[in-house]
């Protein structure tokens, strides 16, 4: 007769229909895990944000089809831009998403051909992971986005996933046994014709694992092609934003006739905020910091300070210039 079996901890119940089942026989069947819609992911993230949780990395733990992953990537990029531009309490986040490992290189390549985002990191392959909680043990294929998120948790925010010399990467990732063998490590999934790069994890000669690149989904020419730059800029953005906000209520900031800050006042703000940013980033994340205060806006009327920072980040060595203001983060190089 019909019977049901509940799988503990997952909230899933398997229903076996009426039929003939022989004792001692193993019956195999396929199961497809439920996947979230783009709207469901966005709703949950907005709820976490409104609840005041402090986070800077979001891993969407669902390996979607290429088409759905693209829709999710676009939605997350817009959400990240909205949070950055929010007045009073901006949030700078980068997102890690995966693509179903069963998707072919060709499909992923075509689907993401025009996708660019400095906020969304795409992992287009899969890896075997252990399932120690399952009696008898097993190995399951999971999106490499899980290992990207693992790396983000293991590494300091200024370090890049692709740096093989880093100790956590040299030691390999917990519970990871090997790569999928769908198309080995074919490069078409890693770099598309117009330069976007995807995260991929490969084994070295000692059977340990590392990412061949810690890339975001920005164009190859962008300053944001690696994860370390994304995190350093996001952290620096929040620190400098708060430092500028603290200076907006100063009583010693003089303005010109058109409401713009005087050069002397801009220098006072710069002298005040630069040590704060240096303390947050130097020496581990950056070797040098340069802060300038924007004198082009009407400070007398708006009481909003805007500024720019130039960072010489350490891993990898690159100079990044970015401008911030009330809810503004713009890459300039």
């Amino acid at each position: 007769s019909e019977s049901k079996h509940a799988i503990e901890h997952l909230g899933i119940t398997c229903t076996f229909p009426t039929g003939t089942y022989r004792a001692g026989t193993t019956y195999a069947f396929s199961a497809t895990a439920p996947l979230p819609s783009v709207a469901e992911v966005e709703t949950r993230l907005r709820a976490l944000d409104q609840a005041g949780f402090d986070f800077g990395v979001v891993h969407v733990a669902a390996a979607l089809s290429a088409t759905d992953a693209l829709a999710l990537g676009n939605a997350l990029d817009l959400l990240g831009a909205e949070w950055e531009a929010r007045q009073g309490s901006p949030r700078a986040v980068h997102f890690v998403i995966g693509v179903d490992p069963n998707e072919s290189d060709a499909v992923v390549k075509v689907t993401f051909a025009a996708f660019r985002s400095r906020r969304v990191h795409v992992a287009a392959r899969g890896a075997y992971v252990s399932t120690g909680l399952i009696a008898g043990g097993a190995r399951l294929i999971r999106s490499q986005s899980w290992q990207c998120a693992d790396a983000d948790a293991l590494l300091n925010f200024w370090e890049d996933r692709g740096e093989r010399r880093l100790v956590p990467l040299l030691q390999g990732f917990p519970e990871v046994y090997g790569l999928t063998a769908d198309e080995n490590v074919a490069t078409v999934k890693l770099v598309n014709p117009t330069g976007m790069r995807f995260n991929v994890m490969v084994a070295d000669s000692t059977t340990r694992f590392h990412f061949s690149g810690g890339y975001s989904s920005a164009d190859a020419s962008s300053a944001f092609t690696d994860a370390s730059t994304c995190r350093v800029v996001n952290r620096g953005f929040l620190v400098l934003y708060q430092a500028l906000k603290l200076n907006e209520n100063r009583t010693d900031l003089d303005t010109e006739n058109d409401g713009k800050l005087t050069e002397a006042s801009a220098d006072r703000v710069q002298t005040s905020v630069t040590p704060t940013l240096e303390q947050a980033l130097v020496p581990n994340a950056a070797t040098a910091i340069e802060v300038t205060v924007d004198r082009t806006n009407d400070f007398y009327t708006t009481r909003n300070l805007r500024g720019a920072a130039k960072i010489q980040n350490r891993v990898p060595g690159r100079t990044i210039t970015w401008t911030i203001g009330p809810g503004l983060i713009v890459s300039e190089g």
Side-chain angles (χ1 to χ4, degrees):
S1 61
E2 180 181 293
S3 64
K4 296 181 179 181
H5 172 70
I7 302 178
E8 292 186 36
H9 312 300
L10 296 183
I12 296 175
T13 300
C14 297
T15 299
F16 296 88
T18 300
T20 301
Y21 301 95
R22 297 185 178 278
T25 301
T26 299
Y27 294 89
F29 60 94
S30 298
T32 302
L35 294 173
S37 68
V38 173
E40 288 171 332
V41 172
E42 185 170 344
T43 297
R44 180 57 59 87
L45 289 176
R46 288 188 182 279
L48 290 172
D49 174 61
Q50 292 170 6
F53 285 98
D54 185 18
F55 57 88
V57 181
V58 172
H59 173 218
V60 180
L64 303 177
S65 68
T67 300
D68 290 341
L70 175 62
L72 178 62
N74 284 318
L76 293 178
D77 188 65
L78 290 174
L79 179 61
E82 176 189 320
W83 283 348
E84 290 170 9
R86 186 167 57 194
Q87 298 289 332
S89 58
R91 184 190 289 276
V93 175
H94 73 265
F95 305 90
V96 180
I97 68 173
V99 179
D100 188 334
N102 292 318
E103 289 278 29
S104 69
D105 284 352
V107 169
V108 173
K109 174 182 172 183
V110 171
T111 304
F112 282 88
F115 180 72
R116 296 293 180 274
S117 173
R118 63 175 173 80
R119 305 176 185 90
V120 180
H121 304 203
V122 181
R125 287 193 170 276
Y128 287 106
V129 297
S130 71
T131 55
L133 296 178
I134 296 179
R139 293 192 301 174
L140 301 176
I141 294 177
R142 287 285 186 255
S143 164
Q144 284 192 358
S145 65
W146 288 75
Q147 281 70 54
C148 280
D150 196 2
D152 287 343
L154 288 171
L155 304 181
N156 290 305
F157 76 92
W158 63 82
E159 296 172 328
D160 195 45
R161 304 182 192 114
E163 292 292 312
R164 293 184 59 179
R165 60 185 175 81
L166 298 175
V167 174
L169 292 180
L170 287 173
Q171 293 176 346
F173 290 88
E175 309 301 336
V176 177
Y177 285 102
L179 294 173
T180 58
D182 56 348
E183 292 156 274
N184 200 8
V185 287
T187 58
V188 288
K189 227 174 198 176
L190 315 183
V191 183
N192 74 18
T194 49
M196 186 179 74
R197 308 181 185 189
F198 294 98
N199 285 283
V200 65
M201 190 172 60
V202 295
D204 62 21
S205 58
T206 62
T207 69
R208 297 299 185 180
F209 298 89
H210 65 91
F211 284 95
S212 64
Y215 304 109
S216 71
S217 299
D219 186 89
S221 62
S222 171
F224 290 90
T225 53
D226 54 272
S228 61
T229 298
C230 290
R231 291 194 289 267
V232 168
V233 170
N234 285 353
R235 179 71 62 89
F237 161 65
L238 294 175
V239 171
L240 188 52
Y241 177 87
Q242 295 299 331
L244 288 173
K245 293 296 290 184
L246 290 174
N247 278 266
E248 288 178 347
N249 294 322
R250 292 176 60 160
T251 59
D252 61 341
L253 300 183
D254 301 319
T255 59
E256 307 284 1
N257 293 334
D258 56 4
K260 298 176 182 177
L261 282 177
T262 63
E263 185 173 348
S265 294
D267 288 342
R268 282 194 288 273
V269 174
Q270 178 179 321
T271 301
S272 173
V273 302
T274 298
T276 302
L277 191 60
E278 288 178 336
Q279 184 178 8
L281 301 179
V282 178
N284 291 325
T287 57
I289 299 290
E290 180 183 342
V291 176
T292 57
V293 176
D294 187 350
R295 296 177 56 231
T296 62
N297 67 309
D298 184 351
F299 176 72
Y300 181 82
T301 301
T302 65
R303 306 303 295 180
N304 287 326
L305 288 174
R306 296 177 64 168
K310 181 178 291 186
I311 299 176
Q312 178 68 48
N313 67 326
R314 187 176 291 279
V315 182
R318 177 184 292 119
T319 299
I320 306 115
T321 302
W322 38 274
T323 302
I324 76 165
L328 173 68
I329 176 170
V330 180
S331 170
E332 295 184 349

